[in-house]
């Protein structure tokens, strides 16, 4: 099946109770069984079923299977938020003394998280861009993972997934990618060699800004060494499902960062239009970026526009589409605020991937806890405006933004 058909008719959309066309919401805490023996088997993973929603729930399972099918993975685990997904995806393989190599152009909250990891004895070594040339000098015996965003938010740098994956695999290191800004519509990172994918599914997957959630998807391809990666020895028996089995039975289960059933339901509803929304969003973003740059008053950054160093990589990995985020340099913080306050249609809000266009001043909000150097490495300056493009009529967006630019 092609993308939009799979969203509606894939294997993960089948067999709902009573012939329902979408899965019903299992808004319960626990599930009852006829005998204590049955409950014991389910609770101890010796029989299929559901025991307690923190561990598993039918509609959450349905959401996980849908995302997993889109990405072509071996299994998926849903979490309470995107940050929860990043945290648990990494802590599933890391312990005291381990090191992460990560790109500097990360979402500000992820940079804050890596600082928190230092309290657990986990160190992060940052590179400006996730490239072989920058990664290689930092690799040592403690390096346990390379982590980066497929499309940087908001720096908009693009990772060459295949080149990086091939290199780190030669060093027996897994590659974990955050594909939130790309979505499975633009790319399936497993086909380029990534090992684990995380999404903040609050964003484009949900699409309506009504639910917080995250999801971790495993390719099943990385061979986890039980000595190098502590705790994996007992999960060898699960073969290609070792990572997911360890995650479900360990830190994810014990930390309690599960997804709410209602949020899983809202995500499923949103996912069905992911392809249509992303097509419109990408077209809007490209048209708006080009129109802004033609004014000669301010500049817009977008991966597909003339002069972007990522044009060829975007063609190779994303079939020429650049995603739904662009950034604008307004000239100063004051001009950035004036510009944002003049817009009629764009909402001043911190999310991305909404059906509505959103704008934010990252330096004073989502990067407020980061150093000036960290901000600049992430492509954030005092005059930077991040724009999350929505599905409005293209010409209305262009007219609104051009009018705001001229008001400067």
């Amino acid at each position: 099946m092609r993308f939009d058909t799979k969203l509606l008719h894939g294997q993960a959309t089948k067999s709902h109770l009573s012939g329902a066309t979408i899965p019903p919401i299992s808004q319960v805490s626990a599930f009852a069984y006829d005998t204590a023996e049955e409950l014991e088997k389910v609770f101890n993973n010796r029989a299929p079923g559901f025991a307690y929603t923190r561990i598993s729930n039918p509609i959450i399972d349905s959401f996980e299977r849908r995302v997993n099918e889109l990405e072509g993975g071996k299994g998926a685990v849903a979490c309470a938020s995107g940050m929860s997904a990043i945290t648990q995806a990494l802590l599933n393989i890391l312990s005291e003394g381990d090191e992460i190599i990560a790109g500097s152009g990360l979402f500000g909250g992820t940079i804050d998280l890596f600082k928190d990891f230092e309290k657990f004895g986990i160190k992060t070594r940052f590179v400006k861009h996730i490239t072989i040339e920058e990664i290689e000098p930092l690799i040592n015996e403690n390096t346990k993972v390379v982590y980066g965003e497929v499309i940087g938010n908001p720096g908009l740098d693009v990772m060459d997934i295949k080149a990086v994956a091939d290199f780190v695999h030669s060093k027996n290191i897994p590659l974990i990618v955050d594909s939130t800004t790309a979505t499975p519509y633009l790319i399936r990172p497993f086909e380029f060699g990534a090992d684990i994918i995380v999404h903040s599914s609050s964003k484009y997957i949900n699409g309506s800004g009504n639910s917080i959630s995250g999801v971790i998807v495993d390719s099943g391809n990385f061979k986890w060494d039980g000595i190098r990666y502590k705790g994996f020895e007992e999960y060898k028996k699960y073969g290609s499902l070792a990572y997911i089995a360890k995650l479900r039975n360990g830190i994810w289960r014990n930390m309690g960062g599960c997804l709410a059933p209602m949020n899983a339901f809202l995500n499923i509803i949103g996912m069905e239009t992911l392809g249509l929304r992303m097509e419109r969003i990408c077209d809007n973003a490209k048209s708006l970026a080009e129109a802004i740059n033609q004014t000669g008053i301010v500049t817009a950054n977008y991966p597909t526009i003339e002069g972007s160093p990522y044009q060829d990589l975007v063609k190779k990995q994303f079939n020429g589409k650049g995603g739904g985020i662009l950034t604008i340099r307004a000239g100063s913080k004051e001009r950035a605020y004036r510009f944002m306050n003049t817009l009629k249609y764009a909402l001043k809000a911190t999310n991305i991937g909404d059906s509505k266009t959103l704008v934010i001043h990252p330096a004073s909000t989502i990067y407020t806890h980061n150093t000036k150097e960290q901000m600049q490495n992430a492509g954030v300056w005092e005059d930077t405006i991040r724009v999350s493009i929505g599905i409005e009529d293209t010409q209305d967006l262009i007219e609104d933004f051009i009018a705001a630019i001229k008001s400067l």
Side-chain angles (χ1 to χ4, degrees), residues 291-292 295 297-298 328 339 400-408:
I292 289 170
T295 65
I297 301 172
V298 299
I328 298 170
F339 173 84
D400 190 18
F401 274 73
I402 297 304
I405 289 168
K406 290 181 177 179
S407 75
L408 298 177

Side-chain angles (χ1 to χ4, degrees), residues 1-10 13 69-70 188:
M1 298 181 196
R2 292 168 181 82
F3 188 82
D4 288 318
T5 307
K6 187 179 289 186
L7 281 170
L8 302 173
H9 302 289
T13 69
E69 184 174 11
L70 282 184
R188 286 158 50 114

Side-chain angles (χ1 to χ4, degrees), residues 390-405:
I391 61 173
E392 296 92 345
D393 286 300
T394 310
Q395 199 56 39
D396 286 331
L397 282 181
I398 291 174
E399 289 171 2
D400 190 18
F401 274 73
I402 297 304
I405 289 168

Side-chain angles (χ1 to χ4, degrees), residues 263-275:
N263 287 0
F265 174 77
L266 293 171
N267 285 345
I268 288 171
I269 299 300
M271 279 182 70
E272 294 195 342
T273 61
L274 176 61

Side-chain angles (χ1 to χ4, degrees), residues 63-330:
F63 171 63
E64 291 168 340
R65 288 188 291 109
R66 287 188 181 214
V67 176
N68 184 61
E69 184 174 11
L70 282 184
E71 291 289 17
K74 282 286 186 179
V77 175
C79 303
S81 68
M83 291 307 304
S84 175
I86 295 168
T87 303
Q88 296 182 67
L90 289 165
L91 291 184
N92 191 43
I93 63 174
L94 299 175
S95 56
E96 185 179 7
D98 290 343
E99 294 185 3
I100 305 165
I101 295 177
S104 298
L106 295 174
F107 168 63
T110 307
I111 296 173
D112 291 344
L113 171 67
F114 288 168
K115 186 176 181 181
D116 291 334
F117 278 179
E118 293 175 5
K119 300 170 188 174
F120 301 96
I122 298 168
K123 181 178 181 179
T124 303
R125 295 179 179 271
F126 288 101
V127 294
K128 192 163 186 181
H129 303 289
I130 296 288
T131 62
I132 296 171
E133 294 74 20
E134 294 193 39
I135 292 170
E136 187 168 22
L138 300 184
I139 291 177
N140 59 49
E141 62 181 8
N142 297 319
T143 305
K144 298 298 174 63
V145 64
V146 171
Y147 177 91
E149 294 175 355
V150 176
I151 304 175
N153 169 24
L156 300 179
D157 49 321
V158 179
M159 185 195 304
D160 187 335
I161 299 173
K162 187 176 189 315
V164 173
D166 287 348
F167 173 72
V168 298
H169 290 161
S170 73
K171 306 292 184 180
N172 295 316
I173 297 170
L175 175 63
I176 297 182
V177 299
D178 183 334
S179 196
T180 299
T181 49
T183 79
Y185 173 78
L186 291 186
I187 187 172
R188 286 158 50 114
F190 293 151
E191 295 176 359
F192 292 80
D195 298 296
I196 309 291
I197 299 169
V198 294
H199 287 281
S200 175
S201 41
S202 322
K203 311 299 192 292
Y204 295 95
I205 286 176
N206 172 274
S208 297
N210 58 31
S211 303
I212 299 295
S213 60
V215 63
I216 305 163
V217 191
D218 177 28
S219 69
N221 293 330
F222 192 78
K223 303 298 185 286
W224 301 98
D225 182 334
I227 298 174
R228 179 168 164 77
Y229 292 91
K230 296 174 184 177
F232 270 91
E233 193 66 32
E234 64 180 291
Y235 292 97
K236 275 187 174 180
K237 61 187 177 184
Y238 293 100
S240 62
L241 294 173
Y243 177 91
I244 285 290
K246 182 176 183 295
L247 181 64
R248 278 201 179 280
N249 289 283
I251 196 161
W252 174 82
R253 181 181 187 135
N254 298 333
M255 288 186 74
C258 60
L259 178 59
M262 176 60 78
N263 287 0
F265 174 77
L266 293 171
N267 285 345
I268 288 171
I269 299 300
M271 279 182 70
E272 294 195 342
T273 61
L274 176 61
L276 295 176
R277 286 186 285 107
M278 285 303 295
E279 183 176 6
R280 179 60 169 267
I281 285 169
C282 290
D283 289 346
N284 274 354
K286 185 174 187 293
S287 298
L288 182 58
E290 290 173 345
I292 289 170
N293 285 341
Q294 286 171 5
T295 65
I297 301 172
V298 299
T299 58
N301 178 28
Y302 186 67
T304 68
I305 60 174
E306 196 66 38
S308 169
Y310 302 108
Q311 275 188 313
D312 291 341
L313 195 51
V314 165
K315 289 176 184 175
K316 182 174 76 172
Q317 292 188 158
F318 311 140
N319 294 318
K321 295 187 180 293
I325 297 175
L326 61 86
T327 58
I328 298 170
R329 299 287 302 274

Side-chain angles (χ1 to χ4, degrees), residues 356-386:
K356 305 174 186 69
T357 295
L358 312 175
V359 293
I360 195 167
H361 181 255
S364 62
T365 54
I366 51 181
Y367 282 84
T368 192
H369 300 299
N370 300 117
T371 66
K372 187 174 182 179
E373 182 183 3
Q374 287 173 330
M375 285 194 289
Q376 291 178 355
N377 286 338
V380 174
W381 309 84
E382 278 297 312
D383 65 341
T384 299
I385 302 163
R386 185 188 72 183

